[in-house]
Amino acid sequence: MTISSKETIPLTTRFDGAIKRLGPFEQCPKVAVALSGGSDSLCLTLLLQDWIRKRKGTLIALTVDHGLRQESAQETKLVHTWMNQLGIEHHILQWQGEKPNSRIQEKARNARYQLLENWCHSNGILHLFFGHNAEDQNETTLFRLLRGSGIDGLAGMSALVEKKYLRILRPLLNVSRETLRQKLSDQNQQWIDDPSNSSPKYTRARLRNMLEQYVGENMSEGISPVRVNALSRCQGLGRIALEQGTHHFLAKAVQVFPEGYALLNPKYLDQIPQDTLMRALSWILMTIGGKSYPPRTNQLKCLHQQVFSGNNSSARTCWGCIVLKRRDRVLFVRESGRIAQQVPLNSDLRAYWDHRFVVCWPSSLTLKQQPLRVAKLGEKGWQQVVTLLSRPLKQRVPASAGYALPAIWKGDVVKTVPHLKYGIDLAGAYEDWKSWIFEPERPMGPPEFMIA
């Protein structure tokens, strides 16, 4: 299916240009590709094989077997055979456990991403490629349009997404499926068609079928692939401009502290438009609250009205955070009452706590000082620390922020709070306090959206 005008530039040339925009890459790069066996991901794998060979790097293909169809195991074996024939390292990842009965495609997609990202992180892979093409981009934009998405959703998929431990890259977003299949046919390479991709029971499949009806038609009105593509690119440019403005505002107006809280200087609020402020508030709340997805627009508007309009100094809660005015600043802290996670000190020696902190402990504590656990300091623990420390804590950390700090407990006694350099009876446990790092799921200044 052709998305725009006839594609005359060779695919390998277009691919090299797309990869260059997604770079730079290290010398002899080691990359992975999400390979379903469909035409899109299979063509991407062949293109990457040529690209990586020139750079003396390593390509690894990863296939997720969801186990949702009887044929899936046989299909993954076929893909494995093809990779052996091509000399490409290949791994099959199984989606274990009970399968969903509703929102099947959404949950399967989430499981697929999680399996792929976990494997890459465990094996030192920094770059994970996906074969999403121009039709996929159009379907995504139209799907979000029907759901009432704003500018972020209508921009479609970003060509580059930076996750905590790796980058997700989509170099084919401007290439039609027809072009990719022609490449495979030219190389006598078969591919697998997943019947669920055309099943009318799924919304995306219905949108795909609808868009295909308009291909080649000179429409004076209505929806066509060309118009949907133009919409996503226009919204993408708008999203980039908004993100750049938000980054500049945050750099001037917000301080983020290693104890997991933030201060905003309200004097800069009059210098930015309302939509930029809403985006900035969203990013702050996600970072401090340990969330990976944003709050709704009505929640942000309500918070803005309650905290930033007028002289109301009462604390407000929003998206796992407490927001309150503190002298000439606005304070954002984690809502400690929502923190329930407790991590027993075990042989792992490391944990990700409350989606915000990386916490570590020496092996000697797991052997000699059981039972110990990492849990929130809370108001009760804060009072213990304040009583025993000779120096005032409030000059360093606001009490409301201190309540949400990770601490090592033994029974009802706080033994160590590395961020406060506090420890009793655990010599050395708090001295290397810098190893307890504020590392939220969503950074306050995420990488900007990238148009393919």
Side-chain angles (χ1 to χ4, degrees):
M1 178 167 68
T2 304
I3 292 296
S4 56
S5 59
K6 186 176 180 180
E7 298 168 341
T8 58
I9 302 175
L11 177 57
T12 52
T13 302
R14 299 173 64 190
F15 182 76
D16 287 344
I19 290 286
K20 186 175 182 180
R21 289 191 295 275
L22 294 172
F25 296 84
E26 64 274 20
Q27 291 185 351
C28 305
K30 183 179 181 182
V31 307
V33 58
L35 174 62
S36 66
S39 57
D40 310 335
S41 61
L42 196 51
C43 185
L44 173 60
T45 302
L46 297 182
L47 291 166
L48 281 171
Q49 185 183 33
D50 291 339
W51 177 82
I52 206 76
R53 185 185 294 123
K54 296 174 184 176
R55 287 152 185 81
K56 299 180 180 180
T58 303
L59 173 63
I60 301 172
L62 303 174
T63 300
V64 174
D65 181 5
H66 293 97
L68 295 173
R69 296 184 295 111
Q70 292 182 349
E71 306 86 353
S72 64
Q74 183 177 355
E75 290 172 353
T76 53
K77 290 180 181 178
L78 178 58
V79 173
H80 189 73
T81 299
W82 288 340
M83 293 301 101
N84 282 340
Q85 293 171 349
L86 292 168
I88 297 174
E89 181 180 341
H90 181 240
H91 297 273
I92 299 173
L93 313 180
Q94 301 285 344
W95 185 20
Q96 306 288 351
E98 187 177 351
K99 302 303 186 292
N101 295 319
S102 62
R103 296 163 56 198
I104 297 173
Q105 285 198 323
E106 175 189 347
K107 292 177 181 178
R109 182 171 59 254
N110 292 341
R112 179 182 181 225
Y113 273 86
Q114 194 64 57
L115 285 167
L116 292 168
E117 290 177 27
N118 288 346
W119 193 95
C120 289
H121 176 47
S122 299
N123 291 273
I125 302 293
L126 301 178
H127 316 285
L128 174 60
F129 285 83
F130 283 84
H132 297 111
N133 59 37
E135 283 87 355
D136 295 322
Q137 183 73 302
N138 281 354
E139 292 159 17
T140 297
T141 300
L142 189 55
F143 181 79
R144 293 174 178 175
L145 176 65
L146 295 176
R147 288 198 165 189
S149 294
I151 188 171
D152 284 12
L154 297 180
M157 292 178 280
S158 177
L160 171 63
V161 177
E162 292 195 18
K163 309 288 280 188
K164 180 174 290 187
Y165 300 112
L166 78 162
R167 304 190 311 153
I168 289 177
L169 306 105
R170 302 183 178 103
L172 302 179
L173 288 176
N174 279 333
V175 182
S176 69
R177 183 171 288 116
E178 178 184 4
T179 299
L180 300 175
R181 292 187 171 183
Q182 185 60 53
K183 166 76 171 177
L184 294 177
S185 298
D186 292 343
Q187 296 190 215
N188 296 317
Q189 175 62 58
Q190 296 176 301
W191 65 85
I192 298 170
D193 284 318
D194 185 344
S196 64
N197 288 334
S198 56
S199 173
K201 67 184 290 188
Y202 298 117
T203 304
R204 279 186 174 271
R206 294 196 297 271
L207 293 175
R208 182 177 300 123
N209 294 334
M210 182 187 73
L211 286 170
E212 288 176 349
Q213 296 175 8
Y214 295 120
V215 174
E217 296 188 18
N218 184 17
M219 297 181 59
S220 59
E221 58 185 30
I223 293 176
S224 69
V226 172
R227 287 175 178 167
V228 176
N229 180 264
L231 171 65
S232 66
R233 292 188 67 84
C234 180
Q235 298 300 302
L237 291 171
R239 177 175 174 176
I240 291 171
L242 278 173
E243 289 180 344
Q244 289 175 345
T246 307
H247 280 123
H248 292 154
F249 167 75
L250 291 173
K252 290 189 300 182
V254 179
Q255 287 179 281
V256 181
F257 294 83
E259 293 83 10
Y261 68 97
L263 287 173
L264 184 152
N265 189 338
K267 77 175 185 179
Y268 295 101
L269 296 183
D270 294 336
Q271 302 178 12
I272 60 171
Q274 185 79 358
D275 51 2
T276 302
L277 175 57
M278 293 297 104
R279 186 176 296 268
L281 290 177
S282 178
W283 288 3
I284 296 171
L285 291 170
M286 283 191 287
T287 298
I288 303 304
K291 303 283 189 179
S292 59
Y293 52 96
R296 295 184 180 275
T297 302
N298 62 339
Q299 292 175 292
L300 295 172
K301 289 182 178 179
C302 183
L303 176 67
H304 177 261
Q305 183 178 12
Q306 293 173 338
V307 176
F308 296 93
S309 300
N311 297 317
N312 191 340
S313 59
S314 300
R316 302 291 175 176
T317 59
C318 184
W319 217 233
C321 295
I322 298 174
V323 185
L324 67 157
K325 290 184 178 178
R326 187 171 181 262
R327 295 190 292 274
D328 60 342
R329 297 290 188 271
V330 177
L331 174 65
F332 293 78
V333 302
R334 175 74 164 108
E335 190 177 356
S336 63
R338 291 184 175 272
I339 303 174
Q341 184 183 9
Q342 298 193 35
V343 179
L345 269 64
N346 52 37
S347 58
D348 292 340
L349 306 182
R350 189 178 190 271
Y352 190 45
W353 184 80
D354 193 38
H355 303 284
R356 297 182 303 130
F357 286 97
V358 175
V359 296
C360 309
W361 53 88
S363 58
S364 59
L365 295 186
T366 65
L367 297 174
K368 301 177 182 179
Q369 300 289 342
Q370 292 281 21
L372 296 169
R373 70 188 189 281
V374 178
K376 68 181 179 184
L377 182 59
E379 186 173 359
K380 178 181 176 182
W382 177 267
Q383 293 303 323
Q384 287 187 34
V385 174
V386 168
T387 301
L388 293 176
L389 274 183
S390 57
R391 62 186 184 281
L393 275 179
K394 293 184 180 180
Q395 293 181 5
R396 174 173 174 77
V397 180
S400 54
Y403 298 164
L405 283 173
I408 294 180
W409 289 77
K410 184 176 183 180
D412 293 331
V413 178
V414 179
K415 308 298 286 186
T416 299
V417 189
H419 287 91
L420 303 179
K421 296 187 178 180
Y422 170 86
I424 55 174
D425 302 329
L426 295 178
Y430 70 91
E431 291 175 359
D432 190 22
W433 64 277
K434 291 183 180 179
S435 64
W436 288 45
I437 301 172
F438 179 55
E439 194 175 286
E441 283 198 5
R442 179 68 179 257
M444 192 170 295
E448 292 176 2
F449 185 85
M450 178 180 287
I451 297 176

